[in-house]
Amino acid sequence: MATWDLRGMKHHVLICNGGTCLRHGGDDVTTAVREEIARLGLDDAVHTTRTRCNGRCQDACVMIVYPQGIWYRQMTPERAKEVVRAHLGEGVPMREWATYEYREDGLTRLGGTESVIGVRKRRT
């Protein structure tokens, strides 16, 4: 297994390849994301990781983009390519396809309900 030097990376994309996401095209989404990153010349700025289940099977296929902590739902290869172009390439997150976004006060559910589901404790 290769060890990557991740210095200089602007984004880390986690693509769920757990059982449900695989049944909803996770492998094709992973391929599409990586191909679009290469096509746009973003290899030096974006690192991708296939994960196992991220616990949001109802949102399959799930893709998470850090450092913003935006959880994208129901990704297809076409949607995933658009996220790469807009979010990773142009810096414009596709919030209409997002379920959660990390904010200063925790992980916030998007889509009309702004209930905080996780709050980061501050050290005093």
Side-chain angles (χ1 to χ4, degrees), residues 5-90:
D5 181 357
L6 299 177
R7 290 177 291 186
M9 290 292 149
K10 294 181 179 170
H11 297 283
H12 186 187
V13 180
L14 306 173
I15 307 158
C16 184
N17 276 224
T20 301
C21 284
L22 281 176
R23 286 190 297 279
H24 286 88
D27 197 43
D28 293 335
V29 168
T30 301
T31 300
V33 167
R34 290 176 173 171
E35 287 175 354
E36 193 68 4
I37 288 168
R39 189 183 75 76
L40 296 174
L42 297 173
D43 289 310
D44 292 337
V46 181
H47 182 73
T48 63
T49 302
R50 283 181 196 247
T51 69
R52 294 290 186 178
C53 181
N54 289 298
R56 295 293 305 169
C57 297
Q58 65 269 34
D59 293 336
C61 175
V62 175
M63 187 167 88
I64 309 164
V65 176
Y66 283 99
Q68 297 83 5
I70 296 180
W71 290 58
Y72 288 103
R73 69 182 179 279
Q74 301 171 344
M75 288 289 100
T76 63
E78 295 75 24
R79 278 185 167 193
K81 287 179 184 181
E82 185 60 28
V83 169
V84 171
R85 284 190 294 271
H87 188 156
L88 307 179
E90 299 170 11

Side-chain angles (χ1 to χ4, degrees), residues 100-118:
Y100 295 100
E101 178 176 7
Y102 184 81
R103 295 186 182 163
E104 192 62 29
D105 60 350
L107 197 59
T108 301
R109 183 159 176 77
L110 300 177
T113 58
E114 293 293 322
S115 61
V116 175
I117 61 166

